[in-house]
Amino acid sequence: MTGERVLVLNGPNLDLLGRREPGVYGSASLADVRAALEALARELGCSVELRQTNSEGQLVDWVHEAWDAADGIVVNPGALAHYSYALRDAIAAVPRPTVEVHISNVHARERFRHHSTVSPVAVGVIVGMGTYGYELALRGLVERLRAGAPER
């Protein structure tokens, strides 16, 4: 299988990437992430569509949309990872493999960040690799899709 379609979803506050707490999240912007992923997608022979919202409901709607519009999902749910059962349930319901990404090492930060509602329904989790984590997620997800691995 080639030409995989990957939806890259970003949750609350990621529109501030590059400006918000650069000591934690780095200086790369979401536009920089988009450019890196688009270049990698060309190299891998797949397509990526990157979206960002500050709304939990919008993120859930986009996961639902992936059922028909994507082969896999990369998601950085931001703080929603720690409490959004609606997002968790959407990912569990939609039969598309999902990789969860966090730019910072959430396990080395505040205690409330140590738990993710999304991780148990994701095929993989990448934390603490900065924005390069998105590229790792895309590579891993495309490899998994080409290998015909199960969604969970």
Side-chain angles (χ1 to χ4, degrees), residues 12-147:
N13 299 311
L14 287 155
D15 55 326
L16 300 177
L17 196 57
R19 297 187 297 161
R20 174 187 174 221
E21 298 180 77
V24 174
Y25 300 107
S27 59
S29 69
L30 206 52
D32 296 329
V33 171
R34 179 187 311 276
L37 288 178
E38 288 174 350
L40 180 58
R42 285 189 297 277
E43 175 188 322
L44 296 175
C46 66
S47 65
V48 292
E49 181 178 348
L50 191 138
R51 300 178 185 177
Q52 187 280 327
T53 183
N54 291 317
S55 167
E56 180 181 21
Q58 180 65 72
L59 202 56
V60 168
D61 287 344
W62 286 341
V63 170
H64 292 177
E65 192 179 309
W67 197 315
D68 296 315
D71 299 304
I73 302 167
V74 171
V75 62
N76 183 340
L80 292 174
H82 312 301
Y83 66 87
S84 178
Y85 293 101
L87 180 58
R88 179 254 177 246
D89 288 351
I91 291 169
V94 174
R96 297 294 176 260
T98 299
V99 178
E100 180 182 8
V101 173
H102 293 281
I103 295 167
S104 68
N105 180 353
V106 293
H107 304 290
R109 296 185 62 200
E110 302 92 341
R111 186 168 183 78
F112 77 88
R113 296 183 196 276
H114 297 182
H115 172 76
S116 170
T117 62
V118 173
S119 294
V121 294
V123 298
V125 180
I126 299 173
V127 301
M129 300 303 294
T131 56
Y132 184 63
Y134 286 93
E135 294 174 60
L136 293 170
L138 181 60
R139 284 184 185 278
L141 182 57
V142 168
E143 181 65 30
R144 183 180 184 89
L145 288 166
R146 290 181 179 166

